[in-house]
Amino acid sequence: MMYDLWIVATAALVAASCALVGVFLILRRQALMGDAISHSVLLGLVLAFLITDSRSLPVMLTGAVFIGLLTAWLSDSLQRVGKLQSDASIGIVFTLFFSIGVILVSLYSGQIDLDQECVLYGEIAFIPFDTITIGALNTLKSDVANQATYWDIGPRAFWSIAVVFGVVLTSILIGFSRLNAVAFHPALAISLGINVVFWHYFLMTLVSLTTVASFDAVGAILVVALLVIPASTAYLIARSLKQMLWLAVGFSQMAVILGYGLAFWLDSAISASIAVSAGGLLFATIAVQKWQLSRQKQQPFNTPANESI
């Protein structure tokens, strides 16, 4: 039971973090950039590990953020200098970086403690087995004494995404007005003296942090679903940025609950079931909107005045 709670709690934090940054990617029509960063950060993780020989969270985040920002900058430069389409330049850069990352993993497979399948697909079911302990285990003492010398505070992946969720939430709260102006009125933001370039790369940094922290849970491929789908669903019915943020987080949490139930029922992969549930909520929202629109079109013909005619 405790394992299930850790899995659901970790998935909820991953989904909420992705939904918050995904809102700004959708509003700025940069959903493909989220896909690009989620794949290209593999190169950052590999380089960070080869240089430092460490898998600590700060080292991994530093490598991922550096490559994430490099992906955004190189995509913009390729579009501006090479006169390529935006989607083409993004596709070129992230596939190049991702391929280099895969080659490095293959070349240094004996040194790199990274599982390619885990990076690509994640495995949230194994999260409760990699925990953080505080204190030292003294095996020379009795079992009772051992319990008193260390404290298991829970899965490493949970605390990693919890830290990143705190950073994302605090950043949005502090920079809400500027992110709002850059997302809806970039020209007005420039006239007001807001550094649009800085906030663009600030958003890319948040996307990189969220992506890396989500690797253990959903992997590089399915994190795109959580970045894009809940925010897109909220975009269909929200009337303001605040409402869109709340709705995106709400839809992401519904996807986690439904997805976990679906995985338990079908005995299937949890992360994939969460992504399928998010997609199901999107299609259900569209269907409800179409049904409401059709009712509104039929309503004038059902009024008493029209019936009397």
Side-chain angles (χ1 to χ4, degrees), residues 84 94 129 143 150 155 165 176 187-188 194 207 212 216 229 241 245 255 257 264 270 279 295 301 305-306:
L84 296 174
F94 93 77
F129 301 104
D143 292 340
Y150 75 96
F165 175 74
F176 181 81
L188 177 62
I194 298 175
V207 173
V212 175
D216 286 342
I229 298 178
L241 178 57
L245 289 168
I257 296 171
F264 182 80
I270 298 173
R295 284 200 63 185
F301 300 100
N306 289 328

Side-chain angles (χ1 to χ4, degrees), residues 10-22 161 165 168 172 210 226 230 245 248-250 252-253 256:
T10 305
L13 284 176
V14 169
S17 302
C18 291
L20 289 175
V21 297
I161 190 61
F165 175 74
V168 170
I172 292 176
T210 305
L226 296 178
L245 289 168
V249 173
S252 69
Q253 300 309 296
V256 169

Side-chain angles (χ1 to χ4, degrees), residues 39-227:
H39 284 75
S40 60
V41 293
L42 173 64
L43 177 60
L45 297 178
V46 176
L47 290 177
F49 183 82
L50 288 175
I51 294 171
T52 65
D53 196 23
S54 170
R55 282 187 59 195
S56 64
L57 182 61
V59 171
M60 294 291 106
L61 290 179
T62 302
V65 168
F66 174 74
I67 294 298
L69 293 177
L70 184 62
T71 301
W73 176 80
L74 202 56
S75 299
D76 293 338
S77 300
L78 201 57
Q79 179 186 359
R80 191 173 57 255
V81 178
K83 306 300 181 185
L84 296 174
Q85 296 293 326
S86 174
D87 54 350
S89 59
I90 293 173
I92 292 170
V93 173
F94 93 77
T95 52
L96 176 65
F97 282 179
F98 184 73
S99 301
I100 295 174
V102 172
I103 290 174
L104 288 177
V105 171
S106 302
L107 289 176
Y108 299 97
S109 57
Q111 304 176 30
I112 298 176
D113 189 17
L114 285 174
D115 186 353
Q116 294 185 46
E117 291 191 359
C118 180
V119 170
L120 290 176
Y121 310 115
E123 186 45 83
I124 197 169
F126 295 155
I127 280 177
F129 301 104
D130 184 14
T131 59
I132 298 176
T133 55
I134 297 176
L137 177 63
N138 188 354
T139 57
L140 297 178
K141 297 180 179 179
S142 65
D143 292 340
V144 176
N146 287 339
Q147 292 178 7
T149 54
Y150 75 96
W151 181 35
D152 189 341
I153 62 172
R156 188 182 307 276
F158 171 82
W159 291 109
S160 299
I161 190 61
V163 170
V164 171
F165 175 74
V167 171
V168 170
L169 185 60
T170 305
S171 301
I172 292 176
L173 290 175
I174 293 175
F176 181 81
S177 59
R178 290 170 176 78
L179 288 169
N180 189 3
V182 171
F184 288 101
H185 307 289
L188 177 62
I190 294 174
S191 66
L192 293 174
I194 298 175
N195 192 335
V196 176
V197 175
F198 167 79
W199 288 102
H200 168 71
Y201 286 105
F202 184 76
L203 178 61
M204 297 302 109
T205 301
L206 294 182
V207 173
S208 302
L209 292 174
T210 305
T211 301
V212 175
S214 305
F215 267 176
D216 286 342
V218 296
I221 295 178
L222 292 179
V223 72
V224 182
L226 296 178
L227 281 172

